[in-house]
Amino acid sequence: MDVIPSIRQTAALALGRLADYDVDLAEAIVKAGILPQLICSLPEENHYYKKTAAFVLRAVAKHSPQLAHAVVQCGSLEVLVICLEDFDPGVKEGAAWACGYIARHNPELSQAVVDAGAVPLLVLCIQEPEIALKRIAASTLSDISKHSPELAQTVVDAGAIAHLAHMILNPDAKLKRQVLSALSQIAKHSVDLAELVVEAEIFPVVLTCLKDSDEYVKKNGATLIREIAKHTPELSQLVVNSGGVAAVVDCIDSSRGTVRLPGIMTLGYVAAHSENLSMAVIVSKGITPLCACLVEEHEDHIKAAAAWALGQIGRHTAEHARHVAAANVLPAMLDIYVDPQSSDDLKTKTKKALKNILQKCTYLPALEPLLHDAPPNIMKHIIGQFSKVLPHDSKARRLFVTTGGLRKIQEIQAEPGSLLQEYINTINNCYPEEIVSLF
């Protein structure tokens, strides 16, 4: 409250740094009733003070929804919206940043930012020439959009999509990250919103982001494609037609770690929709990098995503399953499933994927090695497939004896009357009794 502006400003800066550093200090600043004092005279202050005040509000709001709510309660949003209209880009930037830190916590706080009238001003900010201001404004629009379709619709209604789509080719990597993130957060909610994003002609432009040298640009670009592809077969087909699947495959191939994750999910979503789309993933050579993710990656959630995606590719027909099995995917999945180090979620997803592929797979050379290692709950699916194929294929019957398959199934202890026992009986009935009795 000092009469000298520079002292007021330095005091505010000190409070901002304290609040930024530690949640307890931020709470102490709120309890001391400093925030209303900070903003009461803000519209008359100079731009240095406005920037600093916005920094304090951001520093308090970032820690928790409760602190962000306290910032809103003291009337800060009205003042921040006035700052968004300031002629000084630094003041706008500080205000946009503070709005983003409030909006990111939950739908209610995000709605409060919308109700204060911030969205149209943020859309104006992304059109300003200053890169830093564009970045923060795009980030804040992303934070507002992420919570619900209604909030995303507010951002769309303010005309944000066209301006965001226009910036996908901007050379600034940090801006591209935020732009791709904002478009993803809009597209993820519904088919209608995803279609609006697509109509802004982001394809094939967005595919260039998958080759970007910045890892986050790659990841956010793949995330945007994933959020579009997941909704409908038509949107997935559009991704395929624009060369999106081949670009995603290259992106997975050339990346490591979590950067691969949205690409893996994209291939899974595309393949899940229909036989033809799944075949498009196979033709684009999508199976090999997914199998590489199973073997190379250390994080269980990435392996689980790769197993899920492979399951989606292989579950449609015998031909789809054959393509997956021929890539030596099944032994890799089985190893993960029986590995005591694998998490429960990874085991569940791998088991489901194995089951999806095995139930369609009639390519016996890929199933044969599994007979010797599979646990009983997987074994029944493998033997089930042999019982479907062997009665109609004399060459496969001969091979089954010479490779030791017939011997192996005689060693299995199946419950009398169980499905597994039925499968074994069906296989045994394909051979003369004297051959079966040899084992």
Side-chain angles (χ1 to χ4, degrees):
M1 305 303 280
D2 199 276
V3 290
I4 299 171
S6 61
I7 292 179
R8 289 201 295 277
Q9 188 196 321
T10 311
L13 184 60
L15 288 167
R17 286 181 178 165
L18 288 165
D20 196 41
Y21 175 73
D22 182 78
V23 64
D24 295 334
L25 289 169
E27 283 171 358
I29 288 168
V30 171
K31 285 183 185 140
I34 293 169
L35 295 183
Q37 293 178 38
L38 185 79
I39 60 177
C40 67
S41 61
L42 198 61
E44 291 85 56
E45 293 281 1
N46 65 30
H47 64 275
Y48 295 114
Y49 184 86
K50 286 176 182 169
K51 274 197 280 194
T52 310
F55 168 56
V56 179
L57 296 171
R58 176 184 108 212
V60 173
K62 81 170 189 181
H63 293 291
S64 70
Q66 293 75 23
L67 283 167
H69 184 67
V71 170
V72 173
Q73 287 298 94
C74 69
S76 64
L77 282 172
E78 293 75 8
V79 179
L80 288 170
V81 167
I82 293 167
C83 290
L84 282 174
E85 296 184 270
D86 200 274
F87 70 92
D88 183 275
V91 174
K92 287 181 186 166
E93 193 186 319
W97 214 340
C99 288
Y101 271 60
I102 292 167
R104 67 173 47 178
H105 291 293
N106 60 39
E108 293 72 36
L109 287 163
S110 195
Q111 190 63 54
V113 173
V114 169
D115 294 343
V119 173
L121 297 170
L122 289 164
V123 173
L124 287 173
C125 287
I126 58 174
Q127 299 168 64
E128 294 281 352
E130 291 80 15
I131 290 287
L133 179 55
K134 284 178 186 284
R135 283 181 200 154
I136 302 301
S139 168
T140 301
L141 290 170
S142 177
D143 283 329
I144 292 169
S145 305
K146 72 182 181 184
H147 299 291
S148 71
E150 295 73 26
L151 286 161
Q153 190 65 53
T154 317
V155 172
V156 172
D157 292 343
I161 290 179
H163 298 295
L164 290 166
H166 183 64
M167 291 188 287
I168 290 174
L169 284 177
N170 193 290
D172 183 77
K174 287 181 181 170
L175 175 58
K176 276 195 283 199
R177 291 178 193 175
Q178 303 303 344
V179 164
L180 293 164
S181 168
L183 289 169
S184 304
Q185 299 292 8
I186 293 167
K188 75 178 184 183
H189 293 292
S190 70
V191 179
D192 293 343
L193 287 166
E195 284 174 349
L196 287 171
V197 172
V198 169
E199 281 162 20
E201 296 180 357
I202 62 162
F203 288 104
V205 177
V206 72
L207 304 183
T208 59
C209 298
L210 301 182
K211 291 189 168 68
D212 203 275
S213 56
D214 184 281
E215 297 282 86
Y216 290 100
V217 170
K218 277 171 108 166
K219 189 177 179 183
N220 291 3
T223 303
L224 174 54
I225 296 166
R226 178 191 78 196
E227 298 300 4
I228 289 165
K230 74 179 184 185
H231 290 292
T232 64
E234 292 74 23
L235 284 167
S236 268
Q237 189 66 57
L238 189 142
V239 171
V240 172
N241 294 350
S242 66
V245 169
V248 167
V249 169
D250 288 345
C251 180
I252 297 170
D253 233 352
S254 64
S255 308
R256 293 291 173 272
T258 52
V259 179
R260 284 173 147 178
L261 193 57
I264 294 168
M265 300 293 286
T266 302
L267 297 185
Y269 282 130
V270 171
H273 285 303
S274 73
E275 288 178 21
N276 288 346
L277 286 164
S278 181
M279 195 49 78
V281 175
I282 293 168
V283 171
S284 299
K285 301 187 170 55
I287 293 173
T288 309
L290 288 173
C291 189
C293 293
L294 276 182
V295 179
E296 295 167 6
E297 290 298 334
H298 304 297
E299 300 272 345
D300 277 10
H301 66 283
I302 301 174
K303 289 185 177 192
W308 169 78
L310 287 162
Q312 297 307 317
I313 295 168
R315 73 181 173 84
H316 294 285
T317 68
E319 189 187 353
H320 290 80
R322 180 181 179 135
H323 280 289
V324 176
N328 217 22
V329 165
L330 300 175
M333 282 191 178
L334 198 58
D335 287 346
I336 289 168
Y337 179 63
V338 298
D339 184 352
Q341 303 287 311
S342 296
S343 66
D344 290 345
D345 179 61
L346 175 55
K347 286 186 174 183
T348 306
K349 287 198 169 68
T350 308
K351 180 187 171 189
K352 193 165 183 207
L354 262 171
K355 199 171 151 186
N356 282 343
I357 299 162
L358 288 171
Q359 283 173 340
K360 288 285 189 270
C361 186
T362 54
Y363 181 55
L364 300 188
L367 298 181
E368 191 96 37
L370 305 184
L371 277 174
H372 303 282
D373 305 312
N377 57 345
I378 303 289
M379 186 69 84
K380 69 175 183 210
H381 298 297
I382 299 166
I383 292 174
Q385 294 310 104
F386 278 103
S387 74
K388 286 180 197 168
V389 177
L390 292 175
H392 316 291
D393 188 335
S394 57
K395 187 179 170 193
R397 284 201 294 276
R398 278 200 305 280
L399 269 173
F400 195 60
V401 177
T402 54
T403 56
L406 188 62
R407 175 193 294 276
K408 176 64 191 168
I409 67 159
Q410 306 314 315
E411 296 166 7
I412 293 169
Q413 305 294 315
E415 294 270 323
S418 67
L419 198 56
L420 180 56
Q421 188 61 61
E422 276 180 43
Y423 293 151
I424 293 171
N425 292 344
T426 306
I427 294 169
N428 287 343
N429 291 341
C430 298
Y431 297 95
E433 253 181 64
E434 56 270 27
I435 289 183
V436 176
S437 61
L438 287 174
F439 305 114

